[in-house]
Amino acid sequence: MAGARIRVLVCDDSVVIRRLVSEVLSSDPDIEVVGTAVNGKHALDNLERLKPDVMILDVEMPIMDGLQTLIEVRRVDRTLPIIMFSTLTERGAGATLDALERGASDYVTKPSNVASVSESMAAVRSQLIPRIKSLTGRLPRPVRTAGPANPDVFLPQAPASASSRVDIVCIGVSTGGPDALTQLIPRLPTDFPVPLIVTQHMPPVFTQLFAQRLNAKSRLKVSEATDGDAVRAGRVLIAPGDFHMRLVNCANGPVVRLDQGPQENYCRPAVDAMFRSVPTCYQGRALAVIMTGMGSDGVKGAEHIVHAGGSLIVQDEKTSVVWGMPGAAVAAGLPGVVVPLPALADTILSRVQGGRAGSARSPGSSTSRRVAG
């Protein structure tokens, strides 16, 4: 029913965490905590009765842990949004990445190094509530606020643009990103002729483990970026958690600079910070890609890239877990194309190869459409 509150089931073996999360969520008028469970078996036994819209699932629990619970839930319900609630440790990160590979919708890390209960509650509130609303479609959809009324003014795939040279691909992604990148990066060939840099919204520890996992599945070399890394063809550099990744020019070419400057869009690393730095090294020879994610991070940075003469691809709504970041680019009227995830690797490869060969053909297939359209 329209206007009904979002029904949430909280599953965690800690009574303190169950109480804290329940209090935080119940303070929001759009959310109702319909039940709590002390372990996965308890949650499964009550799933049909409670009929939650979202499940918050602890990673480590006795009797039945979060990963096994996730597997059992997915056997009967492929669409229920499940948010993993994990510790900011290597073990917690590994288990969370396992869960994302097996169908978890998103994850939140438990508060750590906080001085008070109120700070813990604020941390949980800022992370959990927006994700719950995003995954249930309760956040406002991006509304187009820029650009002329005539979409044909935007000609991102006109011959001059499609044949322009691409010397770097930069990717921004958030919610749903680990699975989306796992579908994208391994499809790129060993001889991919330009470097890729990626900002995925993730905390420390998670980015390093994710880079290692992605490297094992890919033909390109994937690693977590370190300060001073050279940006070279055949490499995929992923921004480390809690550090902005920017590019600067050095004598031997562009290199990575990491910093802990202020958060942007409530994020560090931020896509905007990375995107803004790219034209200083590559001028108009960059291809920006905005993939699934909550919020609008990347849109302002993408403006810098397209205004410098670069180009833009965004993931389509149907294949995005949350169409926040890509939808915001569409709403902003930025020139580019909208592409479904299964076609994204071929579209990027075609655009890079076509630009280097001077080809005038549009990237991708008939499944792509203009961002501004």
Side-chain angles (χ1 to χ4, degrees):
M1 167 172 82
R5 289 195 289 174
I6 303 166
R7 299 170 58 84
V8 178
L9 170 60
V10 178
C11 181
D12 196 295
D13 66 315
S14 166
V15 63
V16 174
I17 293 294
R18 290 198 305 274
R19 183 180 297 121
L20 185 149
V21 172
S22 296
E23 288 183 10
V24 167
L25 297 185
S26 297
S27 69
D28 189 290
D30 295 327
I31 297 173
E32 176 186 7
V33 177
V34 295
T36 61
V38 299
N39 56 57
K41 185 178 185 305
H42 187 200
L44 289 172
D45 289 344
N46 290 279
L47 196 63
E48 179 60 29
R49 178 179 64 84
L50 295 173
K51 294 181 169 54
D53 300 311
V54 177
M55 178 186 286
I56 311 299
L57 187 57
D58 186 19
V59 170
E60 297 184 20
M61 295 178 292
I63 302 177
M64 182 181 287
D65 66 15
L67 188 59
Q68 187 58 43
T69 305
L70 170 70
I71 293 170
E72 295 300 324
V73 172
R74 286 292 178 246
R75 286 176 177 166
V76 297
D77 191 331
R78 300 294 301 175
T79 62
L80 175 67
I82 298 176
I83 301 174
M84 306 305 295
F85 205 37
S86 65
T87 55
L88 193 57
T89 63
E90 184 169 343
R91 180 174 175 178
T96 301
L97 291 172
D98 287 339
L100 292 171
E101 289 180 358
R102 288 164 171 78
S105 308
D106 202 356
Y107 67 95
V108 166
T109 55
K110 294 182 178 182
S112 60
N113 300 321
V114 291
S116 66
V117 173
S118 61
E119 288 182 15
S120 294
M121 294 180 73
V124 171
R125 182 179 295 108
S126 66
Q127 291 193 75
L128 261 183
I129 291 178
R131 283 168 168 80
I132 290 170
K133 292 185 177 181
S134 289
L135 292 169
T136 55
R138 298 298 182 92
L139 286 182
R141 287 175 54 85
V143 177
R144 182 167 177 168
T145 58
N150 180 6
D152 290 332
V153 171
F154 296 102
L155 295 174
Q157 301 309 324
S161 175
S163 63
S164 60
R165 185 178 175 92
V166 172
D167 283 341
I168 189 168
V169 175
C170 40
I171 299 173
V173 61
S174 184
T175 311
D179 180 63
L181 289 171
T182 301
Q183 294 187 54
L184 169 63
I185 301 300
R187 293 190 58 196
L188 298 174
T190 306
D191 60 352
F192 192 73
V194 304
L196 294 96
I197 57 174
V198 179
T199 288
Q200 157 75 63
H201 294 160
M202 267 187 170
V205 182
F206 283 67
T207 45
Q208 182 179 23
L209 287 180
F210 177 59
Q212 292 170 355
R213 291 182 177 215
L214 195 54
N215 182 63
K217 298 174 181 178
S218 304
R219 287 170 282 189
L220 300 174
K221 178 176 174 55
V222 183
S223 60
E224 183 184 59
T226 60
D227 194 69
D229 267 341
V231 181
R232 297 194 182 103
R235 293 191 71 186
V236 181
L237 296 175
I238 297 179
D242 204 32
F243 284 85
H244 294 309
M245 179 170 69
R246 312 178 204 261
L247 301 187
V248 298
N249 276 315
C250 285
N252 295 323
V255 300
V256 167
R257 282 287 176 259
L258 303 178
D259 68 79
Q260 289 186 302
Q263 291 187 353
E264 298 187 28
N265 308 300
Y266 307 101
C267 301
R268 189 172 58 219
V271 181
D272 274 340
M274 179 182 74
F275 278 1
R276 278 199 314 272
S277 72
V278 170
T280 64
C281 298
Y282 290 92
Q283 291 77 47
R285 305 187 309 279
L287 171 61
V289 182
I290 299 179
M291 298 174 65
T292 175
M294 184 175 65
S296 60
D297 189 25
V299 175
K300 292 181 179 179
E303 289 178 357
H304 286 254
I305 289 174
V306 298
H307 289 164
S311 47
L312 172 66
I313 298 171
V314 305
Q315 185 177 344
D316 75 341
E317 183 172 11
K318 184 176 180 181
T319 63
S320 296
V321 174
V322 177
W323 207 54
M325 289 162 52
V330 172
L334 293 180
V337 290
V338 181
V339 179
L341 179 58
L344 195 52
D346 288 342
T347 303
I348 291 171
L349 184 60
S350 177
R351 176 68 184 84
V352 171
Q353 291 178 334
R356 298 176 80 78
S359 170
R361 66 186 179 91
S362 298
S365 63
S366 59
T367 56
S368 65
R369 58 182 176 84
R370 290 192 183 100
V371 168

